[in-house]
Structures are given as C-alpha cells and as structure tokens.
Amino acid sequence: MKNLRMIFAAIGFLAIGHAYASEPISIKFSHVVADNTPKGSGALLFKKLAEERLPGKVKVEVYANSSLFGDGKEMEALLMGDVQMIAPSLAKFEHYSKPIQIYDLPFLFDDMEAVERFQTGPVGKELLVSMEDKGITGLGYWHNGLKQLSANKALHSPKDARGLKFRVQASAVLDEQFKALRANPRKMSFGEVYQGLQTGVVNGTENTWSNYFSQKAYEVQPYMTESNHGLIDYMVITNTKFWNGLPTDVRTELSSIMEEVTVAVNLHAAQMNERDKQAILDSGKTKIITLTKEQREQWRDQVKPVWKKFEKEIGVERIQAAQAANQE
Ligand code: LMR
C-alpha cells in the first residue's frame, strides 16, 4: 500500500514537472494608458526582453488602455491572481499604504531629478516594500512626469479654478488639493476622462503631456496650464505569492530585466512628454499657458496647506526626506 502511494506520488510529481517544463509561465501585465507612453512602452519592452531571455519559460501578455482591467479593478485582479503585473499611478495606493500618499502632495518635488533621488533613496526603497503584508511586492518605480492643469477656461491664477469641476484620480490628497482651490474634485477612472471632459461632467483635470496627448484631451480642453504642480509616476507591482513562487532562475532574470526596463523608461519619459507637449501645440486646438514665477507661487501657496492634513499619515520625516531631495 505504502509502495503504491509512493508510485502515485512519483507519477504526480513527474506530471507536474512535465507540465512545468512545457508550459511557459504566463504573466498578464495590465495597465490603463496607451502603448506610446512611458508606461505603455515600458510594459512592451518588459515583454520583449522577458520572452527573448527566457524563451519557452515565460510568456507576457500586455493589455493596454484598460482593455482587461481599468482603475479600481486592476488592484483587486492582481490580488486575486487574475493578472500578475500592473503599474498603477502612485495616486492609487492609499488603501494599501498611507505613506505612499506622499507622492501626491502638491509642489513637493522641484523636478524629476529630485523624484529620482527620493525614489532611489532609503524612503523610496522602503515604500516599495511597504505592502508585502498585503500581498503586494513593488518591483520598481517608472516615471511619467510632472502634472499640468487643463480646463475649458484659461487658468492663470488659483482663483480661475474656483467652482470648476476637476477630474481626480482616486486619491484623498488630490481631492483636498482641488478643495483648497475652492474647486469641485470628482474621482473618475482614467478610461472615462475623455468622455467626462467632452460631456461637461467635469470641466478640467490634471495630467502629464503624454497622457493628455495619447488620450486626445487636446480635442476637449482648449486650455492647458504648464504648472508642474505634482507628479504622475508609477510603481510596478506584482502579487507577492506569485513572485515568491517563481523558480529562482526565472525570478532572478525577471528582476534584472525589470531593472533594465526601469532605466530605459526613466531615461525616455521626459523626452516622450516633451514630444507630446509639442504635438499638442501642433494640433492648434489647445492654448498652453505658462506661469510667471509669481503666479506659480500663488498656486503653491493656495494648495500647500494640504500637506499638513496628511502629515501624520505620511510621516513628517518622509516629507522632510522628499524636500531634502530637492536640494541635493
Ligand atoms: C490617471 O489616472 O490620470 C493616470 O494616473 C493614468 C496613468 O496610469 O498614467
């Protein structure tokens, strides 16, 4: 009897081993933006390198433009194992890690170099692993860029935003940011923004040039203000159980590919945004407003009190570390 059980166990083991050897590990990478954006191109490069360097072992399917899961659903899908990788904007983690809200504080970072320094420093690294107890492992930060404002009217000074309805990502900080301007924030999935702007459900929004251009926001927003007032960046995340369960050689190779892709994305994000800003200008449909130093300070002064509201949840020392990254 014992022998029989051992034989069955051995057959089972061989069968699993065989399935493992012949079936590539499937990685579904789902995101909400277009292919020709920093995140979209990063996902495609990850697929290319993973399939080239782990032939027959890994198959990566990329689903862009919310075609598999949109905002609100993608995180759940990752935790359920329906997708293995996503890269939500850092504004979309508040239910999983309060300190990650730091990235939404308006006028926190002076430029993308400061963001890079903060993310590669101790606090940035700590935040990458801050959700392991929830089953989420951070694999890296991908840049998009700084946010600009857009609206159906010209926004020069903060009072121009009063009373307007602005689409925001699902973030309490961003909600408060627009309330501080005496505007009306409205949370909305990324995939619904174009229609929301077109139909007047919202009058304005905030995003990067690459997201504005690829979503054709210039068709429905006659004004954009180059405010550089906040950040849209991403954390590439995976399901911790899935990741830790990968064969060691596969996990090691995928980690090094992820590092390589992160360098490439972060090197090209600024260029892609510049390219798309120019394309918006070339469309002739949107007027891009630049702010004087004094005007920009007015916007900053108006929204800066938001920091205080989230200081406890985020941690004062983390905010100090981010500010220090501006001065290095
Ligand atoms: C948004 O929802 O506005 C963006 O964060 C979408 C994205 O992933 O860039």
Side-chain angles (χ1 to χ4, degrees):
M1 185 63 186
K2 197 171 160 212
N3 280 352
L4 211 59
R5 241 188 275 142
M6 278 170 67
I7 290 168
F8 278 127
I11 292 171
F13 182 75
L14 283 177
I16 291 168
H18 178 73
Y20 215 53
S22 57
E23 292 279 319
I25 297 161
S26 163
I27 298 179
K28 291 195 170 90
F29 192 145
S30 168
H31 66 82
V32 300
V33 294
D35 285 334
N36 197 9
T37 58
K39 176 163 65 179
S41 60
L44 291 173
L45 181 60
F46 178 79
K47 170 185 167 66
K48 180 174 177 292
L49 298 183
E51 292 181 352
E52 262 170 29
R53 295 188 194 161
L54 292 163
K57 288 192 180 176
V58 163
K59 188 171 164 5
V60 182
E61 288 164 39
V62 176
Y63 297 90
N65 285 314
S66 312
S67 58
L68 189 59
F69 294 105
D71 287 334
K73 285 274 179 283
E74 61 177 14
M75 201 75 99
E76 218 174 281
L78 184 87
L79 290 169
M80 299 288 290
D82 293 335
V83 294
Q84 287 67 40
M85 276 191 194
I86 58 175
S89 131
L90 294 169
K92 296 172 186 169
F93 287 92
E94 65 182 23
H95 296 303
Y96 303 90
S97 165
K98 295 290 180 205
I100 293 182
Q101 293 180 114
I102 192 169
Y103 291 108
D104 277 348
L105 294 180
F107 294 94
L108 178 63
F109 295 106
D110 290 347
D111 48 38
M112 292 308 290
E113 287 71 32
V115 174
E116 176 76 20
R117 281 193 290 269
F118 177 76
Q119 289 176 342
T120 52
V123 181
K125 284 186 188 155
E126 170 219 341
L127 296 178
L128 272 182
V129 293
S130 64
M131 298 176 287
E132 300 252 324
D133 59 334
K134 312 247 171 26
I136 298 169
T137 294
L139 298 174
Y141 290 108
W142 286 0
H143 295 328
N144 187 331
L146 296 178
K147 285 184 287 193
Q148 323 301 340
L149 289 162
S150 75
N152 59 1
K153 61 177 269 201
L155 303 177
H156 296 281
S157 86
K159 66 176 177 355
D160 298 328
R162 264 184 217 168
L164 294 186
K165 291 174 279 179
F166 283 90
R167 178 268 172 170
V168 287
Q169 301 176 76
S171 151
V173 179
L174 299 180
D175 221 56
E176 288 296 331
Q177 172 190 276
F178 281 102
K179 284 185 184 154
L181 294 166
R182 295 204 236 156
N184 304 311
R186 195 178 166 131
K187 290 179 184 159
M188 194 181 268
S189 294
F190 186 66
E192 291 166 8
V193 177
Y194 181 89
Q195 207 185 356
L197 291 167
Q198 189 184 36
T199 56
V201 172
V202 284
N203 314 117
T205 186
E206 52 173 7
N207 228 308
T208 57
W209 301 120
S210 63
N211 277 345
Y212 278 138
F213 181 69
S214 55
Q215 298 302 312
K216 299 191 166 67
Y218 55 91
E219 291 179 357
V220 286
Q221 293 280 264
Y223 299 96
M224 293 184 185
T225 298
E226 187 161 28
S227 49
N228 290 317
H229 65 280
L231 176 69
I232 294 228
D233 253 31
Y234 309 107
M235 193 188 287
V236 186
I237 55 174
T238 185
N239 180 309
T240 305
K241 231 194 206 151
F242 162 78
W243 189 248
N244 293 341
L246 288 173
T248 311
D249 60 325
V250 171
R251 190 172 54 246
T252 306
E253 186 60 45
L254 289 178
S255 295
S256 97
I257 291 168
M258 184 54 70
E259 266 176 46
E260 195 176 324
V261 175
T262 298
V263 170
V265 170
N266 293 350
L267 200 66
H268 292 118
Q271 278 161 265
M272 292 184 113
N273 277 301
E274 272 312 304
R275 176 200 66 189
D276 291 345
K277 177 186 168 189
Q278 189 56 48
I280 290 170
L281 278 170
D282 293 346
S283 79
K285 294 191 169 162
T286 299
K287 181 171 167 18
I288 297 184
I289 296 161
T290 49
L291 299 175
T292 63
K293 193 164 167 278
E294 290 72 30
Q295 282 172 327
R296 193 163 180 272
E297 273 164 16
Q298 284 175 13
W299 286 92
R300 198 192 54 209
D301 294 347
Q302 190 79 28
V303 293
K304 190 82 187 287
V306 171
W307 289 28
K308 199 97 210 120
K309 295 197 172 170
F310 293 90
E311 202 177 75
K312 259 218 185 86
E313 286 180 354
I314 293 170
V316 180
E317 54 317 319
R318 293 193 182 94
I319 298 176
Q320 284 164 350
Q323 285 178 291
N326 284 328
Q327 278 131 36
E328 275 169 39

